[in-house]
Amino acid sequence: MRIDARSFGSEKLLQSKAIQNLFYETLAVEMSEQLYGKENIALSKTKVQIALRFPQDVEDNSLAYFPWHIDNVYPGSLKGFGLLVGIFLNDTLAPDSGNFTVFPGGHLVLEEHFRKPQYSNSLYRDKVGRINLPTVNIGNQHQILARAGDIVICHHQLPHRAAPNISPNIRMAVFFRVYHKHLPLDHPTDCYLRELAPVNLWSIGWKGMKTIERDDGVMIDIDVPSFCDCTEKSKPLDIEVITTNSVLSLQWIRGNKCSDTFEYWNSSVLFVVNLIQRSGIILEIGCANGFFLACLCQQMKRKSMQIIPYGIEYDSSVFKCKRLFPKLYEDGHFIQIDLSSFLTSIQNEAPAFPPYFDFICWNIWADFKLEMKLGKYWVTKLRTILVPD
């Protein structure tokens, strides 16, 4: 976990009693319930972070600080958790010991910044994963001096970072993200309200608006956590409408980890459509929320051809495929798995998948070298599940 600065840890470890009890069997849960209301607490057992900060070498007594950030920034969205709860497992009683570092009042500075329409899109994660930060003065930092067992609860938009660690000890902490039951894990990017509302799809609530009118005339108060009528999410989506509407499709494009324009997105879909000259079964590697496949299927229908989609994705965005392909999702056409595990034992890992595909679509990062040894290995492996023609 030293390689990954976030140090989230394995799923088995994150869901263990030793880790989960740090929240459920301490004052952390009681304090969170006081803030949200006991009946409103929603906590994902996978949204846990084991945060280790290792000692570092310092040359010429110069300290290198990480930039500040706020959590859960994705392409085009801020996910809807409300409380960040940190529990410290060892003493950090001196500054620059990997301390949890906050910028008091910074969440209010950001709120004021994002209320301005010209800046409402100024915080997002770009194509290669970097968070683009707004150039605002968020004030002075405060390094928290914590003892083992101390708990910190903060607003999810409070700017924070880890201080350098020039102590001889690893700083050990566990962070939990606490959600409101009306704002589950896929909000706000996959909220039905936002599909209906012709406004900026992820900075809603930061533009000084008190209410918003949906297309059905309902006025929604956006100043309370329960602004979304989640019962609407059970309604089937009109894929034809979403894929052709630049406003409605934008949230799905962002949820597909693309930060480009609607026009660029369509050109990418058509690029693939023009390569396919017959009906068949397609596998997308890294399908995310499935929107690319949904657009592809719609375009192929216009060519009087049928594409049967399958998708794999290493992160939880694959669960959103259920809204676009409810029947196929239930039939096992979309699974959360990494490419290596998938190719090692396809039938065991994806029993609903066919042994061979007519087409495979893989949107490869620009710095992925297909000509290198590893790239050739993946292409060779993929050819074994591709029909000869």
Side-chain angles (χ1 to χ4, degrees):
M1 293 198 298
R2 186 170 185 170
I3 296 174
D4 185 349
R6 298 172 303 172
S7 308
F8 279 93
S10 70
E11 187 170 319
K12 183 177 180 181
L13 177 60
L14 296 179
Q15 297 184 24
S16 67
K17 285 187 177 181
I19 297 299
Q20 293 291 319
N21 284 351
L22 291 171
F23 183 84
Y24 287 106
E25 300 297 329
T26 69
L27 286 175
V29 66
E30 181 180 328
M31 291 187 290
S32 298
E33 288 172 351
Q34 288 177 8
L35 290 167
Y36 258 180
K38 186 174 182 179
E39 71 282 1
N40 293 323
I41 290 291
L43 183 72
S44 168
K45 290 188 176 181
T46 61
K47 296 299 181 182
V48 183
Q49 176 186 7
I50 299 174
L52 308 181
R53 295 295 173 259
F54 287 80
Q56 62 193 75
D57 294 327
V58 179
E59 297 180 359
D60 303 323
N61 295 319
S62 60
L63 295 179
Y65 285 87
F66 290 112
W68 64 266
H69 66 279
I70 59 178
D71 291 348
N72 278 24
V73 179
Y74 290 82
S77 70
L78 285 170
K79 298 300 171 112
F81 83 98
L83 301 177
L84 179 64
V85 180
I87 301 172
F88 299 92
L89 305 184
N90 62 332
D91 294 346
T92 51
L93 300 178
D96 300 321
S97 301
N99 311 63
F100 184 64
T101 302
V102 297
F103 294 80
H107 62 302
L108 300 176
V109 176
L110 291 179
E111 178 194 18
E112 184 64 29
H113 178 77
F114 290 128
R115 283 184 187 277
K116 302 171 184 176
Q118 67 268 35
Y119 297 127
S120 62
N121 274 329
S122 62
L123 177 68
Y124 63 93
R125 193 180 292 272
D126 66 18
K127 291 186 211 176
V128 295
R130 292 185 298 261
I131 296 177
N132 293 310
L133 300 173
T135 54
V136 294
N137 181 7
I138 56 172
N140 298 322
Q141 70 170 15
H142 173 71
Q143 295 192 25
I144 294 177
L145 307 183
R147 292 188 181 276
D150 282 353
I151 299 172
V152 166
I153 298 180
C154 64
H155 190 283
H156 74 284
Q157 289 180 34
L158 181 69
H160 60 274
R161 66 185 175 197
N165 187 0
I166 59 173
S167 78
N169 306 308
I170 302 171
R171 189 219 73 181
M172 296 181 287
V174 176
F175 289 91
F176 295 83
R177 272 79 176 172
V178 182
Y179 294 73
H180 192 285
K181 71 176 183 180
H182 290 301
L183 291 172
L185 305 187
D186 58 356
H187 280 60
T189 55
D190 195 24
C191 174
Y192 190 75
L193 165 66
R194 292 166 193 272
E195 292 164 14
L196 294 174
V199 297
N200 184 293
L201 294 172
W202 67 276
S203 63
I204 181 172
W206 288 345
K207 299 172 103 176
M209 299 178 293
K210 293 297 181 183
T211 58
I212 184 170
E213 183 177 3
R214 295 194 319 202
D215 285 0
D216 58 5
V218 176
M219 297 301 295
I220 304 296
D221 185 348
I222 62 172
D223 285 339
V224 296
S226 57
F227 69 83
C228 173
D229 180 5
C230 293
T231 59
E232 298 286 352
K233 288 172 66 64
S234 61
K235 291 184 178 181
L237 298 176
D238 189 332
I239 305 301
E240 178 69 26
V241 171
I242 293 176
T243 56
T244 56
N245 186 296
S246 60
V247 174
L248 300 183
S249 66
L250 186 60
Q251 61 166 317
W252 289 95
I253 293 172
R254 297 293 180 261
N256 207 265
K257 305 176 184 179
C258 173
S259 58
D260 280 297
T261 63
F262 175 73
E263 291 72 23
Y264 179 87
W265 173 267
N266 276 343
S267 69
S268 301
V269 175
L270 290 173
F271 174 79
V272 177
V273 168
N274 292 332
L275 293 174
I276 300 177
Q277 300 301 323
R278 60 181 174 85
S279 299
I281 303 172
I282 189 168
L283 167 68
E284 183 179 12
I285 301 168
C287 66
N289 62 8
F291 191 56
F292 188 87
L293 287 172
C295 293
L296 188 66
C297 290
Q298 288 297 317
Q299 291 288 350
M300 292 303 295
K301 281 183 182 179
R302 297 188 178 99
K303 292 175 64 173
S304 299
M305 298 177 190
Q306 182 183 17
I307 290 295
I308 301 174
Y310 288 79
I312 65 171
E313 174 60 56
Y314 76 93
D315 65 36
S316 60
S317 61
V318 71
F319 300 139
K320 296 178 184 176
C321 294
K322 184 175 183 178
R323 294 212 67 205
L324 296 172
F325 302 98
K327 179 61 169 62
L328 295 181
Y329 183 88
E330 294 299 332
D331 290 343
H333 282 228
F334 304 92
I335 61 172
Q336 182 181 4
I337 192 172
D338 64 89
L339 181 58
S340 178
S341 301
F342 173 72
L343 289 176
T344 300
S345 182
I346 294 176
Q347 291 308 309
N348 291 336
E349 300 289 353
F353 279 44
Y356 300 100
F357 297 89
D358 297 290
F359 314 101
I360 296 178
C361 177
W362 186 10
N363 183 17
I364 298 172
W365 296 106
D367 58 354
F368 188 91
K369 305 298 184 183
L370 274 180
E371 70 274 11
M372 303 297 285
K373 185 177 180 180
L374 181 60
K376 290 180 179 179
Y377 168 79
W378 289 123
V379 171
T380 301
K381 291 285 288 185
L382 288 171
R383 283 192 175 276
T384 64
I385 60 172
L386 195 62
V387 295
D389 61 338

